[in-house]
């Protein structure tokens, strides 16, 4: 059974940095495509970044380009989201997703397995 687990969230001040980690377990193969989403209270879940390791392709939401970087570990079942220059608008629950099913990367319905989320709070 596949499990997706996020970690690394926390409370920071505007301008500071955080690194989120996502690990996918229960696999019989490597090269897992993974994505990060976030959902603020009262808002829809939105795609933040994705990485397709077998192609080396990354995608980012316009709102995080130049500030967030997605990467994978050597085993390709771990993904990181390095976030710099954080803003109060980045405050949200951040979710990791794995195994895209062919749709638009930024659509939550395009991913099969999800973690429980890790909270990121940025104070002004």
């Amino acid at each position: 059974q596949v499990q997706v687990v996020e970690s690394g969230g926390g409370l920071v001040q505007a301008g500071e940095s955080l690194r989120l980690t996502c690990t996918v377990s229960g696999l019989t193969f490597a090269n897992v495509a993974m994505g990060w989403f976030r959902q603020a209270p009262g808002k829809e879940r939105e795609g933040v970044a994705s990485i397709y390791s077998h192609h080396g392709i990354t995608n980012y939401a316009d709102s995080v380009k130049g500030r967030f970087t997605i990467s994978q570990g050597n085993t390709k079942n771990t993904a990181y989201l390095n976030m710099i220059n954080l803003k109060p608008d980045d405050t949200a629950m951040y979710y990791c997703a794995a195994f895209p099913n062919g749709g638009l990367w930024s659509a939550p319905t395009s991913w099969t397995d999800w973690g429980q989320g890790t909270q990121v709070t940025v104070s002004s």
Side-chain angles (χ1 to χ4, degrees):
Q1 184 175 352
V2 173
Q3 283 191 314
V4 180
V5 179
E6 308 96 334
S7 63
L11 172 63
V12 297
Q13 293 187 333
E16 294 185 337
S17 303
L18 277 176
R19 186 171 88 156
L20 305 183
T21 300
C22 172
T23 301
V24 181
S25 60
L27 303 171
T28 58
F29 56 91
N31 291 326
V32 181
M34 301 167 79
W36 285 98
F37 287 73
R38 66 187 182 187
Q39 188 167 18
K43 295 188 177 180
E44 294 185 351
R45 190 170 297 190
E46 63 173 353
V48 174
S50 67
I51 185 165
Y52 293 76
S53 57
H54 49 294
H55 296 306
I57 293 175
T58 57
N59 298 287
Y60 294 95
D62 288 343
S63 59
V64 306
K65 283 180 180 176
R67 300 188 299 121
F68 291 12
T69 303
I70 189 170
S71 61
Q72 284 188 295
N74 291 332
T75 59
K76 301 294 189 284
N77 68 327
T78 299
Y80 305 100
L81 186 67
N82 287 292
M83 306 182 293
I84 65 171
N85 191 20
L86 282 160
K87 304 175 181 180
D89 284 349
D90 295 317
T91 295
M93 184 70 78
Y94 282 69
Y95 297 91
C96 180
F99 300 109
N101 54 36
L104 186 66
W105 76 268
S106 58
T109 54
S110 297
W111 298 81
T112 305
D113 292 282
W114 291 85
Q116 294 299 307
T118 185
Q119 178 68 38
V120 173
T121 303
V122 185
S123 63
S124 58

